[in-house]
Amino acid sequence: MRAVDIIIKKRDGKELTRDEIRFFVAGFTRGTVTDYQASAWAMAVLLKGMTDRETTQLTLAMADSGEKLDLSGVVDLALDKHSTGGVGDKTTLVVEPLVAACGLRVGKMSGRGLGFSGGTLDKMESIPGFRTDLTKEEFLRQLKEVGLVLTGQTSDLAPADGKLYALRDVTGTVPAPPLIASSVMSKKLAAGANRIVLDVKVGTGAFMKTQEEARSLAKLMVKIARLAGRKAVALLSDMNQPLGHAVGNALEVKEAIETLHGGGPTDFRQHAIEVASQLLLLGQAEKTLSAARKRAGVTLKDGSAFERFRDLVSAQGGDVRYVDDPSLLPRAKFVEEVPAPRSGYLKWVDARQIGEASVALGAGRAKKGDPIDHAVGIVVLHKVGDRVAKGAPLFTLHANDQTKLEAARAQVLAAHQWSAKKVKPLPLFYGTVK
Ligand code: URA
């Protein structure tokens, strides 16, 4: 078999066999299939698609590219959650410790920034010392002893996803349902979770632009989980405007910590409570959704979720002084508050434009391996439906470069659209797929 023939076959819109997919994924993991071949193949998948059968085989091949954790001897039930990627989506930072504070165990493998969407690993690395490359042994030990783990793909765990993810980020090959489904689910299968909540984002700041596309991706991932003997529930959630206010790595960590203290933006807190509640149901900590919501709300307020976040940071080598005092987190040289150019109701706050502006400030990568600037980003102060008076603060830019700040100011201003008439707020969720 030759990699080039597999690329050509997909380019011509044909269905790949199990053996061809496994050959390609194994070769890419070993390095005998090159980065440029994998990039060309990913573009062919984006343009021609894959059948559900191919996507399932791709997921299994990627999960098998490294070791797969067997948690049966370690914990009875291991929970996990994963988002398909959004702007300002810091949900894991709150949900994982929140669920752990309710007595459940969460072992999570996250990703880095992808295109205009931020990545949990990049956010957590704003905390000096925090390690995101745990070995298999470290993962297992920490899950057993501390009860929560937040790590990334390594040469041990889902290495094919780690490599392909970095290429997709910078080759325009992110928004392909087969690549998203296999990327998300291969990590979940490799990390051994048996109960999974999938947060499938819909809207301008998501890779799935319509509810229909998001629902079909959700159904496919839930089906892959079932075929692999796991149980998954998917929530379809809004990503037309940023989640919460903060977009950018350290800014998002700070906002997550505020939320773990019972504060934070209302939309983000409610979103986190909903995702956590689904995990509490799946993990059998509560019997009904309303009881789960109540418990999650109390656990955020009483400080126990924050204590578990602190435990997580400390277990993975992070400096907890930055968690106790988030003002120590990386800060940008230039901080500019931009006023509203007019009075009116906000009709649209385009998450995609804001995500792209944040990446251009340095919060994401333009090329594989680019360093991240943890300090930069945008704090968007208002939501769709808010009435804002001319001259009131609209957003704050955090930049380390004056030219980039000017460009971000124009882009974020253009991302805000106005109406003279009242506008309905956007919903947080569009449904559930089981
Ligand atoms: N999250 C992932 O892990 N992979 C994707 O492709 C998108 C979001």
Side-chain angles (χ1 to χ4, degrees):
M1 248 185 243
R2 294 190 320 157
V4 63
D5 295 324
I6 296 172
I7 299 167
I8 290 169
K9 190 169 173 188
K10 188 39 65 189
R11 181 201 68 192
D12 293 344
K14 305 216 172 80
E15 185 174 13
L16 300 177
T17 65
R18 174 183 181 276
D19 287 352
E20 286 164 340
I21 290 172
R22 291 193 93 82
F23 170 86
F24 199 89
V25 170
F28 177 53
T29 309
R30 273 197 312 272
T32 50
V33 171
T34 61
D35 275 7
Y36 52 83
Q37 288 176 311
S39 302
W41 172 85
M43 187 59 83
V45 172
L46 181 135
L47 296 172
K48 298 297 164 129
M50 275 186 153
T51 61
D52 285 3
R53 203 192 56 78
E54 280 178 297
T55 306
T56 306
Q57 289 304 337
L58 177 61
T59 307
L60 299 177
M62 285 172 50
D64 287 342
S65 65
E67 299 196 51
K68 279 200 303 215
L69 299 184
D70 176 3
L71 304 180
S72 52
V74 184
V75 289
D76 289 342
L77 211 52
L79 296 163
D80 198 348
K81 64 106 7 207
H82 206 90
S83 151
T84 56
V87 177
D89 184 6
K90 56 210 79 84
T91 309
T92 292
L93 276 57
V94 170
V95 165
E96 181 168 3
L98 170 53
V99 170
C102 295
L104 298 176
R105 288 175 193 267
V106 196
K108 171 150 175 56
M109 203 191 294
S110 280
R112 298 196 174 276
L114 206 49
F116 55 80
S117 85
T120 300
L121 303 179
D122 295 328
K123 292 170 202 182
M124 289 303 287
E125 285 173 355
S126 308
I127 302 170
F130 189 83
R131 283 184 54 215
T132 57
D133 59 349
L134 302 190
T135 62
K136 176 187 160 193
E137 288 71 30
E138 287 171 325
F139 187 112
L140 291 173
R141 192 178 335 114
Q142 190 174 314
L143 186 62
K144 189 169 178 183
E145 292 173 5
V146 188
L148 73 174
V149 184
L150 179 52
T151 188
Q153 315 95 327
T154 61
S155 50
D156 284 359
L157 299 170
D161 180 56
K163 291 184 79 179
L164 190 58
Y165 199 96
L167 290 184
R168 287 171 58 216
D169 182 28
V170 291
T171 56
T173 51
V174 174
L179 298 181
I180 297 175
S182 56
S183 165
V184 170
M185 294 310 294
S186 63
K187 285 192 282 292
K188 304 302 97 181
L189 302 188
N194 19 38
R195 301 277 191 277
I196 305 154
V197 173
L198 299 164
D199 186 5
V200 179
K201 304 286 186 197
V202 195
T204 58
F207 302 120
M208 300 295 107
K209 305 293 176 215
T210 65
Q211 288 186 46
E212 241 175 309
E213 288 170 340
R215 194 171 292 279
S216 111
L217 175 66
K219 282 186 179 160
L220 179 56
M221 292 196 289
V222 168
K223 183 170 150 195
I224 293 172
R226 195 167 47 243
L227 290 173
R230 325 286 167 101
K231 189 165 176 195
V233 170
L235 293 171
L236 306 188
S237 64
D238 182 73
M239 190 31 78
N240 285 298
Q241 61 186 342
L243 186 58
H245 298 311
V247 179
N249 300 289
L251 293 169
E252 293 190 44
V253 172
K254 192 163 169 273
E255 188 164 276
I257 292 172
E258 282 160 20
T259 309
L260 285 164
H261 284 303
T266 309
D267 67 322
F268 174 56
R269 194 174 53 252
Q270 284 174 355
H271 177 88
I273 286 177
E274 199 60 30
V275 174
S277 302
Q278 292 287 348
L279 281 161
L280 293 179
L281 276 191
L282 275 185
Q284 296 160 8
E286 291 295 342
K287 288 203 175 66
T288 65
L289 207 45
S290 61
R293 287 184 185 127
K294 198 163 161 203
R295 177 141 173 216
V298 169
T299 310
L300 269 188
K301 283 223 176 78
D302 71 11
S304 50
F306 172 73
E307 282 307 319
R308 298 301 276 140
F309 183 70
R310 222 174 164 276
D311 293 342
L312 171 73
V313 169
S314 147
Q316 290 184 213
D319 187 337
V320 287
R321 284 175 303 171
Y322 289 73
V323 175
D324 294 338
D325 179 4
S327 71
L328 297 174
L329 287 165
R331 283 208 276 182
K333 228 181 336 177
F334 308 109
V335 178
E336 181 185 300
E337 191 173 84
V338 179
R342 55 166 282 181
S343 295
Y345 293 94
L346 277 173
K347 180 166 85 176
W348 199 243
V349 184
D350 194 312
R352 163 115 190 211
Q353 291 296 327
I354 292 164
E356 283 178 352
S358 173
V359 169
L361 282 170
R365 300 174 180 82
K367 309 192 289 309
K368 192 177 140 183
D370 273 355
I372 286 278
D373 187 340
H374 291 104
V376 300
I378 301 151
V379 179
V380 179
L381 297 168
H382 296 283
K383 298 274 142 192
V384 168
D386 283 2
R387 187 178 151 76
V388 188
K390 182 173 177 182
L394 188 62
F395 57 88
T396 310
L397 297 169
H398 296 246
N400 276 323
D401 176 309
Q402 193 66 41
T403 316
K404 289 183 181 171
L405 182 143
E406 307 287 329
R409 187 196 302 121
Q411 192 169 9
V412 179
L413 270 172
H416 287 77
Q417 288 178 28
W418 300 85
S419 164
K421 293 200 208 106
K422 266 197 167 178
V423 176
K424 265 206 343 225
L426 288 170
L428 284 180
F429 293 97
Y430 297 105
T432 309
V433 172
K434 291 187 183 172

